[in-house]
Amino acid sequence: MAEPTREDIEFLFQEEVLSQHGEFVVDLLQDTLEKKKIIFEGDLHDILDYETFKRGIQRGLRISFFDYGRFIEIRKHKKKPSKMETNTNQLIWGIKENTMKKKPKDVSWYSKNVYGSLNRLIGILMYEFTDYELARLKKIITNKIETSL
């Protein structure tokens, strides 16, 4: 029986960590959507999903949701009030306008959570591949090989 290589064990570790991180990020995004009340008919909240993939020797994580969810956050940063705005009615005629402006809703739900959690992922990949984890994953791979025979 062939002994699993260190590369196989590392790949299995990466796949497990990416899967756990995907679940963590999706839960975090769903919680943020609920807390900030950015749910449109429940579609954005319910469609959030993740999947791990491998392309050659590379492993990755893909988070998917409707496009409009990202557009919500992008639109927040699009229009900023100009410092050159003047109220000509007030300057010429002395007429005051109704300046009660509604405070814009905080709709930042994606960037802060996803990019902020990358340090967590990097830390897990760098520091949690211990000897105990190595032995555990080696057992999993040998069990898979034995059951396939």
Side-chain angles (χ1 to χ4, degrees):
M1 177 170 62
E3 190 76 15
T5 65
R6 180 155 176 103
E7 187 177 77
D8 293 335
I9 296 170
E10 287 175 356
F11 286 153
L12 181 60
F13 176 71
Q14 290 171 3
E15 288 175 8
E16 281 186 356
V17 169
L18 285 173
S19 179
Q20 291 169 359
H21 184 70
E23 190 172 323
F24 170 78
V25 169
V26 167
D27 288 343
L28 184 65
L29 291 173
Q30 287 175 337
D31 290 345
T32 305
L33 285 172
E34 289 172 8
K35 186 169 65 173
K36 294 188 176 188
K37 298 176 183 166
I38 309 175
I39 303 170
F40 294 105
E41 300 168 9
D43 290 340
L44 187 58
H45 182 273
D46 297 337
I47 202 68
L48 270 166
D49 197 17
Y50 74 94
E51 68 174 317
T52 58
F53 65 90
K54 54 184 171 182
R55 191 174 303 137
I57 62 170
Q58 297 177 344
R59 303 300 190 255
L61 175 68
R62 186 176 297 126
I63 298 173
S64 59
F65 53 88
F66 288 140
D67 288 339
Y68 73 80
R70 191 72 174 105
F71 298 153
I72 294 168
E73 186 172 348
I74 293 170
R75 192 179 81 211
K76 172 189 174 188
H77 301 288
K78 191 165 184 157
K79 184 177 186 232
K80 297 193 179 199
S82 172
K83 292 181 181 179
M84 299 299 288
E85 284 185 17
T86 57
N87 186 349
T88 53
N89 282 338
Q90 185 175 3
L91 288 175
I92 297 172
W93 306 106
I95 301 171
K96 292 186 178 182
E97 290 184 6
N98 186 2
T99 56
M100 295 271 305
K101 292 189 178 182
K102 184 178 176 185
K103 183 181 175 189
K105 186 176 185 179
D106 183 15
V107 290
S108 57
W109 68 280
Y110 177 81
S111 298
K112 184 177 180 181
N113 292 321
V114 172
Y115 297 120
S117 67
L118 284 179
N119 286 333
R120 175 188 176 274
L121 175 63
I122 291 168
I124 291 171
L125 287 171
M126 287 178 61
Y127 301 116
E128 292 190 12
F129 191 58
T130 60
D131 293 335
Y132 172 76
E133 190 70 19
L134 189 70
R136 184 185 73 83
L137 293 171
K138 190 182 269 188
K139 284 181 188 175
I140 290 173
I141 293 174
T142 32
N143 286 340
K144 282 183 183 178
I145 292 172
E146 288 175 0
T147 56
S148 66
L149 294 176

